[in-house]
Amino acid sequence: MSWNSFGRVFRFTTWGESHGLAIGAVVDGCPPGIALSEADIQPWLDKRRPGQSRFTTQRQEPDHVRILSGVFEGRTTGTPISLMIDNVDQRSKDYSEVAQAYRPGHADYAYDAKYGLRDPRGGGRSSARETASRVAAGAVARLIIPQVQIRAWVEAIGGDPIDAQAFDDAQIDANPFFCPDAAAAVRWETLVDRARKAGSSLGAVLTCEATGVPAGWGAPLYAKLDAELAAAAMSINAVKGVEIGAGFAAAANSGEGNADPMRPGAGGPAFLSNHAGGIAGGIATGQPIRLRVAFKPTSSILTPVETISRDGEATTIATKGRHDPCVGIRGVPVVEAMMALVLADQALLHRAQCG
Amino acid sequence: MSWNSFGRVFRFTTWGESHGLAIGAVVDGCPPGIALSEADIQPWLDKRRPGQSRFTTQRQEPDHVRILSGVFEGRTTGTPISLMIDNVDQRSKDYSEVAQAYRPGHADYAYDAKYGLRDPRGGGRSSARETASRVAAGAVARLIIPQVQIRAWVEAIGGDPIDAQAFDDAQIDANPFFCPDAAAAVRWETLVDRARKAGSSLGAVLTCEATGVPAGWGAPLYAKLDAELAAAAMSINAVKGVEIGAGFAAAANSGEGNADPMRPGAGGPAFLSNHAGGIAGGIATGQPIRLRVAFKPTSSILTPVETISRDGEATTIATKGRHDPCVGIRGVPVVEAMMALVLADQALLHRAQCG
Amino acid sequence: MSWNSFGRVFRFTTWGESHGLAIGAVVDGCPPGIALSEADIQPWLDKRRPGQSRFTTQRQEPDHVRILSGVFEGRTTGTPISLMIDNVDQRSKDYSEVAQAYRPGHADYAYDAKYGLRDPRGGGRSSARETASRVAAGAVARLIIPQVQIRAWVEAIGGDPIDAQAFDDAQIDANPFFCPDAAAAVRWETLVDRARKAGSSLGAVLTCEATGVPAGWGAPLYAKLDAELAAAAMSINAVKGVEIGAGFAAAANSGEGNADPMRPGAGGPAFLSNHAGGIAGGIATGQPIRLRVAFKPTSSILTPVETISRDGEATTIATKGRHDPCVGIRGVPVVEAMMALVLADQALLHRAQCG
Amino acid sequence: MSWNSFGRVFRFTTWGESHGLAIGAVVDGCPPGIALSEADIQPWLDKRRPGQSRFTTQRQEPDHVRILSGVFEGRTTGTPISLMIDNVDQRSKDYSEVAQAYRPGHADYAYDAKYGLRDPRGGGRSSARETASRVAAGAVARLIIPQVQIRAWVEAIGGDPIDAQAFDDAQIDANPFFCPDAAAAVRWETLVDRARKAGSSLGAVLTCEATGVPAGWGAPLYAKLDAELAAAAMSINAVKGVEIGAGFAAAANSGEGNADPMRPGAGGPAFLSNHAGGIAGGIATGQPIRLRVAFKPTSSILTPVETISRDGEATTIATKGRHDPCVGIRGVPVVEAMMALVLADQALLHRAQCG
């Protein structure tokens, strides 16, 4: 089945294709009385918007969001909030090549195998353009949980990591890579430029941290907070790996090394470390939630790759259109949005069961 | 909320605590007419059963499953299948210590923060004992998708990986570690014995592979096959990381290096590599599905760890009871079960939409 | 919670208020490859459209539907279908009176009690205008189940029933009341005119019949076909009663009288009667599905009714705006749409489980 | 699909067949800290238990419920509550006749058409025995909403109604019919006895009233309180009709006659009537919720009825086993349970969205 809704009580449904008339999201279950206007949403879309530096795709989309329902006199009414973003820069280019041959690494073949037909224009529904809808919905989610601070950053591009010692929060918004390490940002300019000019692409690793999450949010066993975050992250285009807290490093650690000892603290335990990434048994511990996400290099590259046509004939294909040399960069606001959407849902779920 | 169901049309709900009378699963949505008896389920439970070697917990549970409904004259009727496993070896030990102080790394504090009370006997609902219910449900799922072969193995313990060149499928069931590399299995004996004797614990990395999955299974966008697998894996106790295909390694690769070129093949494309792990755009490509999972070392260790009491006082706690020195080992049949459960659900979902 | 989605695998979500910019529905889970254009949807909206006779509200809405996604080159792609209908005739009238006092029988007080605020313009989200979105979604549903014929009619207005002996299928679309009895239609002209001129309103009873539903559709126990139809019907504005088959009359019958004996027939049993309304145990028997629905008289009347203001003061209110003298009449395409939506969902669910 | 779960955040799943080993329910999403033991559940099961008078089936089932999980030291822990009731009086009778021929009015043919096989022992899953599981789950639901009082009664049997003027609350539990009119109860003795001796059966109409429901519970649009109640009621075996408030009578009324005027009251409006049955726009108004339900006469009768065999041959069948001459009588605790289950779910949903 096509299953385009996410969330349990705070839910959103997205629709739209890369080169259709518009894309959008319907947000349902939002508490009433929250102040909401387009101005609360637009900044997050602007953060994700393409064409802002030479390190992202040159497609020009204003990504102007409109609220079509669910708000009256500036406040949410508790009814569904319909958000719509027109597609402006859908080029009337010729899609016959991509319509006839499958781009390896893209969803072209898989969609065709599933549905027997597909919209080849810019990847159709499988395009990362859909993530704008999530960012819009995520902006609403943030307003439900004002006590939570969410921020993501890029911590490696093409295998070149930041220096954790050089982490500077203020740097994240000061360079086009959402990079907290000023020196790494300089290196990445060269790295991404080289990939871009070569028509190649690079992967990236992102971290997203949420602080201020109260101990107790989460819903064992099959809606565990970490399970929901894993699903949320893995549903983003190009994501191939997810870690909570120490992640794979925990698998190489000992029980002693991986423990997070507790001391008495103000209003709850003071943890001496956070290998758990703020989640135990699927429930928030009150520590910062730490989510780490791996983005693959986009498969849209100039180098011709061996493939087959819809008729099963051998051929090659290269992606000549506009593309992101490192799609993970623009993943930052998307991962943040998914974090907000999961947490808002869990906040309401927790209130439902535990008051 | 407590949310103890998993799946969309093929669904299961689990119940039960570590030291209650029994645990169980209700499997709903199973197709009718499938031959099913306890003998189809028991072998998988036996594979997961504790106490089979000195490398797992010494709790003695026969884990004998009973089918209470949904089967008539040896065939599924399409109605819910109630599976029940009695708890036999719940020791009447004194739980006052663990009832009073939070074991770091366990869900003790988080459950208390959420619910205001908790069942401290053996971890209650947050115990890995619940995974027996999943394994039972997974055995039913396997029967729905007989065309799919699922197998998992341990590929690293405590940071010591297998030699990929030495991979021998026949070894997996020939040692107590589900280790496909005979030499690594020998090393791990020493490694795990040492941890066990020291009252310590070790993490592990598992891989699970499903072959025979038809291209087309999967459900974009928020029920993507990889997103469902990520949630399924992350919902397992002690799991902290999930990768599909190349996973985090993809983030260090280039678009060219990460591509999976296609050549004409029999009945579909012949892929020249499988960085994607058999999934593109959330839909199966027909290649083997590759899932990689990180298990942390269990937090049940003999070494006293700093913690606080329910009253907020500083104290220390050590786990004196029976425990797994490397809980990831027994994760093998659990990860396989979750793979089967996700795939069976997606198989039915695909049939619903696409016939 | 606000819960604006319906369906299990074939699902739709509606959004929009009576006097907002637009209303719409997102249809998810539609099978791929179905020919679909606005021309397949518009006729059903036209059937529901207000202002077509003096017996319905005089609000002028073209109810022009646009397909914003999910269709490529005239065929459904399996991705979500976004349907949008602009609101054109939202009058910029003064809503201060209705904003300050609760209209008895309307949802004004209940929405305020729930949400603490409400959109008073034309009833906001609680307006019957929302049913246009259902009709649009229902038009898509019909295409999934072409073997099924669905038709509804009005069988009583204001307590004046049709003569069952005079039932003439051809009459249904030949008068403004969807009345299958020509003589009753003539009586109803007078009846409804009188109510309209008096500023009063009348209730109605509708029957909806679906033929061609294969035996076997349905999903016991909590998604029984009759339970889903009951929920679908009761979710429509102004509906206060639902019957399947003989309904309440069955409660006055004996087991012998209410039996539906079976004789051998072509391709299944030939039933000698249909007290069951085509459903047994929540599953279709292959007989026509018979659903009967009671619409109350709309509460929008010119006669002042005692009420209270938001401040709790005693006052009276009369509805001066445009309104339907018998809202049940325009319920005909709405009930048909809900029947189609339930059956399409159950068709796919049946295929999922039973192939 | 088989879909054996009900509810959105407070959910239950039932399993089991009439003549299997046991039946049960898993209740998920229950708030923590609620005092719960078998003694809270058993009285409701006793109320539904067969064999208590000559007016119900003579099957002897103690219906002894056990709590298998989710409770620790007498309080709910927030984890799933597994409830189990052993089947004791499954007679080892010969089911070959009912296995070979379809009983008209029962689900025999429909189940066979759907699943291709069925459990013929006592109706298998389609037996009213399943309703014991609902009653058990409903007993838990009642504890979540202690401010609400729920009671149901029989208001007509075989077309013989009570005298509304003679309504006496104290009578309901004073006769075997849950009849609030002492004189009617006397008449019904004769009526039901006659049907019982003739091997016939009678239908019944029940009313269920919930008082103390706060204004605001409910969830527009597709989880409206009345829509959920309609689905809940229609999912009960033998139910063919559902009304809220004035129901079908509203369809014969005028807008003036059907209005529920409001006057200032203590802590909210004082309504002058309750045609709405306590629900407007799908949301509770604070008035008593009034639900009316029609039960058909059971199809288990001694009179032979024409039918066909599984092979399609003409035959006749009579039900020789134990049966209820008026199954609606024992519907009273079942309808009450479904009311409690819907309201508990809506109470938590309301808290989720509106705090």
Side-chain angles (χ1 to χ4, degrees):
Chain A
M1 297 300 302
S2 172
W3 216 290
N4 294 277
S5 300
F6 187 88
R8 293 170 188 266
V9 294
F10 179 79
R11 297 173 309 287
F12 68 100
T13 301
T14 72
W15 56 269
E17 284 85 38
S18 180
H19 287 59
L21 295 169
I23 61 174
V26 181
V27 178
D28 198 11
C30 184
I34 296 177
L36 177 68
S37 74
E38 279 94 351
D40 295 301
I41 304 172
Q42 197 61 51
W44 306 105
L45 284 168
D46 291 346
K47 190 171 175 181
R48 180 202 159 277
R49 191 154 56 83
Q52 300 189 95
S53 80
R54 69 180 187 273
F55 306 112
T56 62
T57 173
Q58 295 308 299
R59 178 169 170 173
Q60 294 296 332
E61 285 290 349
D63 279 348
H64 176 67
V65 68
R66 280 182 295 158
I67 299 175
L68 298 180
S69 68
V71 174
F72 180 66
E73 295 183 346
R75 297 204 168 263
T76 58
T77 60
T79 61
I81 301 165
S82 178
L83 305 171
M84 186 162 153
I85 302 165
D86 288 328
N87 286 331
V88 170
D89 191 19
Q90 336 92 294
R91 295 205 183 157
S92 55
K93 60 167 272 199
D94 180 8
Y95 280 101
S96 57
E97 189 186 27
V98 70
Q100 287 311 314
Y102 302 120
R103 294 169 300 163
H106 281 286
D108 299 352
Y109 170 70
Y111 267 68
D112 219 352
K114 182 173 194 67
Y115 296 119
L117 80 173
R118 67 190 162 95
D119 176 349
R121 300 167 301 161
R125 181 67 180 157
S126 70
S127 165
R129 176 134 190 79
E130 186 269 348
T131 59
S133 299
R134 307 180 189 220
V135 170
V140 180
R142 287 174 188 266
L143 301 176
I144 297 174
I145 46 170
Q147 69 270 58
V148 176
Q149 295 77 45
I150 297 169
R151 58 170 190 175
W153 58 86
V154 179
E155 66 164 58
I157 288 184
D160 179 20
I162 61 167
D163 175 2
Q165 304 304 318
F167 188 99
D168 178 0
D169 192 63
Q171 283 296 317
I172 296 175
D173 289 324
N175 60 68
F177 303 107
F178 303 107
C179 176
D181 170 357
V186 172
R187 295 197 307 273
W188 293 354
E189 283 206 22
T190 310
L191 193 64
V192 178
D193 256 341
R194 197 165 53 206
R196 180 175 61 83
K197 288 172 184 164
S200 181
S201 65
L202 297 167
V205 177
L206 275 65
T207 291
C208 184
E209 187 179 77
T211 55
V213 177
W217 289 6
L221 283 174
Y222 297 105
K224 280 179 174 174
L225 184 47
D226 36 3
E228 301 276 289
L229 288 172
M234 200 66 94
S235 76
I236 301 170
N237 307 50
V239 170
K240 302 301 282 185
V242 181
E243 294 181 319
I244 301 291
F248 278 86
N253 209 338
S254 67
E256 298 79 38
N258 197 59
D260 294 322
M262 289 182 259
R263 295 287 79 192
F271 290 89
L272 303 184
S273 59
N274 189 13
H275 295 92
I279 304 173
I283 301 173
T285 62
Q287 290 218 82
I289 308 286
R290 292 287 294 245
L291 169 72
R292 207 162 160 267
V293 181
F295 281 78
K296 71 173 184 179
T298 177
S299 308
S300 299
I301 51 176
L302 282 180
T303 310
V305 183
E306 292 183 301
T307 191
I308 60 171
S309 68
R310 290 200 74 195
D311 305 327
E313 301 297 316
T315 181
T316 62
I317 196 163
T319 304
K320 300 190 200 77
R322 306 159 294 183
H323 76 273
D324 280 283
C326 177
V327 74
I329 298 169
R330 287 172 57 220
V332 164
V334 180
V335 171
E336 288 181 343
M338 295 309 292
M339 175 70 85
L341 289 157
V342 167
L343 290 175
D345 191 28
Q346 292 280 6
L348 300 190
L349 283 170
H350 181 66
R351 187 160 72 179
Q353 187 178 21
C354 299
Chain B
M1 298 299 302
S2 173
W3 216 289
N4 294 278
S5 300
F6 187 88
R8 293 170 189 265
V9 293
F10 179 79
R11 297 173 308 287
F12 69 100
T13 302
T14 73
W15 56 270
E17 284 85 39
S18 181
H19 287 59
L21 295 169
I23 59 172
V26 181
V27 178
D28 199 10
C30 184
I34 295 177
L36 177 67
S37 74
E38 278 94 351
D40 296 300
I41 303 173
Q42 197 60 51
W44 306 106
L45 284 168
D46 291 346
K47 191 171 175 182
R48 180 201 160 280
R49 191 155 55 85
Q52 300 190 93
S53 79
R54 69 181 187 274
F55 306 111
T56 61
T57 172
Q58 294 308 298
R59 177 169 171 174
Q60 294 296 331
E61 285 291 350
D63 278 348
H64 176 67
V65 68
R66 281 182 295 157
I67 299 175
L68 297 180
S69 68
V71 174
F72 180 65
E73 295 183 345
R75 298 203 168 264
T76 58
T77 60
T79 60
I81 301 164
S82 179
L83 305 171
M84 186 161 155
I85 302 165
D86 287 329
N87 286 331
V88 170
D89 191 18
Q90 337 91 294
R91 293 203 185 158
S92 55
K93 60 168 271 198
D94 179 9
Y95 281 100
S96 57
E97 189 186 29
V98 70
Q100 288 311 314
Y102 302 121
R103 296 168 299 163
H106 280 286
D108 299 352
Y109 170 69
Y111 266 68
D112 219 352
K114 181 173 194 68
Y115 297 119
L117 81 174
R118 67 190 163 94
D119 178 349
R121 301 167 302 162
R125 181 67 181 158
S126 71
S127 165
R129 176 135 190 79
E130 186 267 350
T131 59
S133 299
R134 308 181 188 218
V135 170
V140 180
R142 287 174 188 265
L143 301 176
I144 296 174
I145 47 170
Q147 68 271 54
V148 176
Q149 295 77 45
I150 297 169
R151 57 170 192 175
W153 59 86
V154 179
E155 66 165 61
I157 288 184
D160 179 20
I162 61 167
D163 175 1
Q165 304 303 317
F167 188 99
D168 177 1
D169 191 64
Q171 284 297 317
I172 296 174
D173 289 325
N175 60 69
F177 305 107
F178 303 107
C179 176
D181 169 358
V186 172
R187 296 198 305 274
W188 293 352
E189 282 205 24
T190 309
L191 193 65
V192 179
D193 256 341
R194 198 164 52 206
R196 180 175 61 85
K197 289 172 184 163
S200 179
S201 65
L202 297 167
V205 177
L206 276 64
T207 292
C208 185
E209 186 180 77
T211 55
V213 177
W217 288 6
L221 282 174
Y222 297 106
K224 281 179 173 173
L225 185 47
D226 36 2
E228 302 276 289
L229 288 171
M234 199 66 94
S235 76
I236 301 170
N237 306 52
V239 170
K240 301 302 282 186
V242 181
E243 294 181 319
I244 302 292
F248 278 85
N253 208 338
S254 67
E256 299 79 36
N258 197 58
D260 294 322
M262 290 182 257
R263 295 285 79 191
F271 289 89
L272 303 185
S273 58
N274 188 14
H275 295 92
I279 304 173
I283 301 173
T285 63
Q287 291 217 81
I289 308 287
R290 293 286 294 245
L291 170 72
R292 206 160 161 268
V293 180
F295 281 77
K296 70 173 184 181
T298 176
S299 308
S300 299
I301 51 176
L302 281 181
T303 309
V305 183
E306 293 183 301
T307 190
I308 61 171
S309 68
R310 291 199 74 196
D311 304 327
E313 300 298 316
T315 181
T316 62
I317 196 163
T319 304
K320 302 191 200 77
R322 306 159 294 183
H323 76 275
D324 281 283
C326 177
V327 75
I329 298 169
R330 287 172 57 221
V332 164
V334 180
V335 172
E336 288 180 343
M338 295 310 290
M339 175 70 85
L341 288 157
V342 167
L343 290 175
D345 191 28
Q346 291 280 6
L348 299 189
L349 283 171
H350 182 67
R351 187 161 70 179
Q353 188 179 21
C354 299
Chain C
M1 299 296 304
S2 172
W3 216 289
N4 294 278
S5 300
F6 187 88
R8 294 170 187 267
V9 294
F10 179 79
R11 295 172 310 287
F12 69 99
T13 301
T14 72
W15 56 268
E17 285 85 37
S18 181
H19 288 59
L21 295 169
I23 60 172
V26 181
V27 178
D28 198 10
C30 184
I34 294 176
L36 177 67
S37 74
E38 278 95 351
D40 295 300
I41 303 172
Q42 197 61 51
W44 307 106
L45 285 169
D46 291 347
K47 190 172 175 182
R48 180 201 159 281
R49 190 155 56 85
Q52 302 189 93
S53 79
R54 69 181 186 273
F55 307 110
T56 61
T57 173
Q58 295 308 301
R59 178 169 170 173
Q60 295 295 334
E61 283 291 349
D63 278 349
H64 176 68
V65 68
R66 281 182 293 157
I67 300 174
L68 297 180
S69 69
V71 174
F72 180 65
E73 295 183 345
R75 298 203 167 264
T76 59
T77 60
T79 60
I81 301 164
S82 179
L83 305 171
M84 186 162 155
I85 302 165
D86 287 329
N87 286 331
V88 169
D89 190 18
Q90 335 92 293
R91 294 203 184 157
S92 55
K93 60 169 271 195
D94 180 9
Y95 280 99
S96 57
E97 188 186 28
V98 70
Q100 287 311 315
Y102 303 121
R103 294 169 301 164
H106 280 286
D108 298 353
Y109 171 69
Y111 266 67
D112 218 351
K114 181 173 194 69
Y115 296 118
L117 81 172
R118 67 189 162 95
D119 178 349
R121 302 167 302 162
R125 181 66 180 158
S126 70
S127 165
R129 176 136 190 78
E130 186 268 350
T131 59
S133 300
R134 307 181 189 217
V135 170
V140 180
R142 287 174 188 265
L143 301 176
I144 296 173
I145 46 170
Q147 68 271 55
V148 176
Q149 294 77 43
I150 296 168
R151 58 169 192 174
W153 59 86
V154 179
E155 66 166 59
I157 288 185
D160 179 20
I162 60 167
D163 174 1
Q165 303 303 318
F167 189 99
D168 178 1
D169 192 64
Q171 284 296 317
I172 296 174
D173 289 325
N175 59 69
F177 304 108
F178 302 108
C179 176
D181 170 358
V186 172
R187 295 196 308 273
W188 294 353
E189 283 206 23
T190 309
L191 194 65
V192 179
D193 255 341
R194 199 165 51 206
R196 180 175 60 82
K197 287 172 184 164
S200 180
S201 64
L202 297 167
V205 177
L206 274 64
T207 291
C208 185
E209 187 180 78
T211 55
V213 176
W217 288 8
L221 284 174
Y222 297 105
K224 281 180 174 173
L225 185 46
D226 35 3
E228 301 277 288
L229 288 172
M234 200 66 95
S235 76
I236 301 171
N237 306 51
V239 171
K240 301 302 282 187
V242 182
E243 295 181 319
I244 301 291
F248 277 86
N253 209 339
S254 67
E256 299 77 38
N258 197 58
D260 294 323
M262 290 182 256
R263 297 285 78 192
F271 290 89
L272 303 185
S273 59
N274 189 15
H275 295 91
I279 304 173
I283 301 173
T285 62
Q287 290 218 83
I289 309 287
R290 292 286 295 244
L291 170 71
R292 205 160 161 269
V293 181
F295 281 77
K296 71 172 183 180
T298 176
S299 308
S300 299
I301 50 176
L302 282 180
T303 308
V305 183
E306 292 183 302
T307 191
I308 60 171
S309 69
R310 292 200 73 195
D311 304 327
E313 301 297 317
T315 182
T316 62
I317 195 162
T319 304
K320 301 192 200 78
R322 305 160 295 183
H323 75 274
D324 280 283
C326 177
V327 75
I329 298 170
R330 287 171 56 219
V332 165
V334 180
V335 171
E336 287 181 344
M338 296 310 291
M339 174 69 85
L341 289 156
V342 167
L343 290 175
D345 191 27
Q346 291 281 6
L348 300 188
L349 283 171
H350 181 66
R351 187 160 71 180
Q353 188 179 21
C354 299
Chain D
M1 298 299 304
S2 172
W3 216 290
N4 294 278
S5 301
F6 187 87
R8 294 170 188 266
V9 294
F10 179 78
R11 295 174 309 286
F12 69 99
T13 301
T14 73
W15 56 269
E17 284 85 37
S18 181
H19 287 60
L21 295 169
I23 60 173
V26 181
V27 177
D28 199 10
C30 184
I34 295 178
L36 177 68
S37 74
E38 278 94 351
D40 295 300
I41 303 173
Q42 196 62 50
W44 306 106
L45 284 168
D46 292 345
K47 190 172 175 182
R48 179 201 161 278
R49 190 156 56 84
Q52 301 190 94
S53 80
R54 68 180 188 274
F55 306 111
T56 62
T57 173
Q58 294 309 300
R59 179 168 171 174
Q60 294 296 333
E61 284 290 349
D63 278 349
H64 177 67
V65 67
R66 281 182 294 158
I67 299 175
L68 299 180
S69 68
V71 175
F72 180 66
E73 295 183 345
R75 298 202 168 265
T76 58
T77 59
T79 61
I81 301 164
S82 179
L83 305 171
M84 186 162 153
I85 302 165
D86 287 328
N87 286 331
V88 170
D89 190 17
Q90 336 92 295
R91 293 202 184 158
S92 56
K93 61 167 271 196
D94 180 8
Y95 281 98
S96 58
E97 190 187 25
V98 70
Q100 288 311 316
Y102 302 121
R103 294 170 301 163
H106 279 287
D108 299 352
Y109 170 69
Y111 266 68
D112 218 351
K114 182 173 193 69
Y115 296 119
L117 81 172
R118 66 190 163 96
D119 177 350
R121 301 168 302 161
R125 180 68 180 157
S126 70
S127 165
R129 177 139 189 77
E130 186 268 348
T131 59
S133 299
R134 306 180 189 219
V135 170
V140 180
R142 287 173 189 266
L143 301 175
I144 297 173
I145 46 171
Q147 68 271 56
V148 176
Q149 294 77 45
I150 296 168
R151 57 169 192 175
W153 59 86
V154 179
E155 66 165 57
I157 288 184
D160 179 21
I162 61 167
D163 174 3
Q165 303 303 318
F167 189 100
D168 177 1
D169 193 63
Q171 284 295 319
I172 295 176
D173 289 325
N175 59 69
F177 304 107
F178 302 107
C179 176
D181 169 359
V186 173
R187 295 196 309 273
W188 293 354
E189 283 206 23
T190 309
L191 193 66
V192 179
D193 255 341
R194 200 166 52 206
R196 181 176 59 83
K197 288 173 184 165
S200 180
S201 64
L202 297 168
V205 177
L206 275 64
T207 291
C208 184
E209 187 180 77
T211 54
V213 177
W217 289 7
L221 282 176
Y222 297 106
K224 281 180 173 172
L225 184 47
D226 36 2
E228 302 276 289
L229 288 172
M234 198 67 95
S235 77
I236 301 170
N237 306 51
V239 171
K240 301 302 283 187
V242 181
E243 294 182 318
I244 301 292
F248 277 86
N253 209 339
S254 67
E256 298 80 36
N258 196 60
D260 294 323
M262 289 182 258
R263 296 286 79 191
F271 289 89
L272 303 185
S273 59
N274 188 14
H275 296 92
I279 305 172
I283 301 173
T285 62
Q287 290 219 83
I289 308 286
R290 291 288 293 248
L291 170 71
R292 206 161 161 267
V293 180
F295 280 78
K296 70 172 184 181
T298 175
S299 309
S300 299
I301 51 176
L302 281 180
T303 308
V305 183
E306 291 183 303
T307 190
I308 60 171
S309 69
R310 292 199 73 195
D311 304 328
E313 300 298 316
T315 182
T316 61
I317 196 162
T319 304
K320 301 190 200 78
R322 307 160 293 184
H323 76 274
D324 280 282
C326 177
V327 76
I329 299 170
R330 288 172 56 221
V332 165
V334 181
V335 171
E336 287 181 344
M338 296 309 293
M339 175 69 85
L341 289 156
V342 167
L343 290 175
D345 191 28
Q346 291 281 5
L348 301 188
L349 283 171
H350 181 67
R351 186 161 72 181
Q353 188 179 19
C354 299

